């Protein structure tokens, strides 16, 4: 029932945040069966949106961290994002480390392929 009053674009960060805000602020207007699915309130609503849009809060956290690093409301893991910030920062750090390891592995594979091609060329030249 998210589009009852307005149309939302789920590929838009702004619209996803708007849905989250509106559902949170208008919780009492949700049908009872929907409220039951999202209990306990408000954490059940947060869990639903975290599952439906897993990178949304991480994106918001990273924007706040980048553009408002000294804002006492948003800054750091004790700011507005609190537990999300701590959990997402750990996940982000793991993802960055994994991507760095993959990049190193790709570079090693390229170096091995280059060395192998050079050795094959040297053997061919020696055989000729």
């Amino acid at each position: 029932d998210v589009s009852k009053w307005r149309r939302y674009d789920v590929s838009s960060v702004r619209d996803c945040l708007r849905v989250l805000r509106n559902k949170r602020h208008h919780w009492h207007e949700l049908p009872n069966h929907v409220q039951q699915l999202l209990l306990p309130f408000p954490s059940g609503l947060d869990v639903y949106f975290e599952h439906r849009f897993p990178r949304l809060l991480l994106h918001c956290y990273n924007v706040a961290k980048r553009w408002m690093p000294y804002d006492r409301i948003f800054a750091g893991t004790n700011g507005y994002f609190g537990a999300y910030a701590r959990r997402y920062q750990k996940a982000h750090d793991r993802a960055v480390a994994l991507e760095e390891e993959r990049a190193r592995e790709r570079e090693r594979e390229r170096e091995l392929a280059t060395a192998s091609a050079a050795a094959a060329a040297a053997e061919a030249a020696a055989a000729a």
Side-chain angles (χ1 to χ4, degrees):
D1 82 329
V2 296
S3 58
K4 182 176 180 182
W5 302 107
R6 85 178 345 265
R7 203 168 285 282
Y8 295 100
D9 175 6
V10 296
S11 66
S12 162
V13 171
R14 180 192 62 205
D15 281 4
C16 289
L17 290 173
R18 185 176 282 151
V19 169
L20 177 58
R21 179 201 62 203
N22 289 347
K23 293 307 158 192
R24 192 174 188 127
H25 287 193
H26 299 283
W27 172 260
H28 61 282
E29 297 173 12
L30 291 173
N32 192 42
H33 70 279
V34 173
Q35 287 182 3
Q36 295 301 314
L37 291 172
L38 302 174
L39 287 175
F41 180 77
S43 62
L45 186 63
D46 294 342
V47 168
Y48 170 80
F49 275 89
E50 185 178 357
H51 177 74
R52 180 75 170 84
F53 305 103
R55 297 187 315 183
L56 177 64
L57 292 175
L58 176 60
H59 173 76
C60 294
Y61 169 68
N62 286 328
V63 167
K65 185 177 171 183
R66 179 174 182 192
W67 295 103
M68 300 181 288
Y70 303 108
D71 187 302
R72 66 181 184 82
I73 293 174
F74 288 104
T77 55
N78 294 321
Y80 179 80
F81 292 99
Y84 290 118
R86 289 185 292 277
R87 185 170 65 240
Y88 285 128
Q89 189 61 51
K90 288 178 185 175
H92 174 72
D93 292 346
R94 283 193 305 270
V96 167
L98 182 60
E99 184 53 39
E100 288 172 351
E101 179 59 32
R102 287 178 180 157
R104 284 190 295 272
E105 183 63 31
R106 287 190 300 270
E107 183 59 30
R108 282 192 296 269
E109 288 172 1
R110 277 194 290 272
E111 289 171 358
L112 286 173
T114 301
S116 177
E123 281 182 25

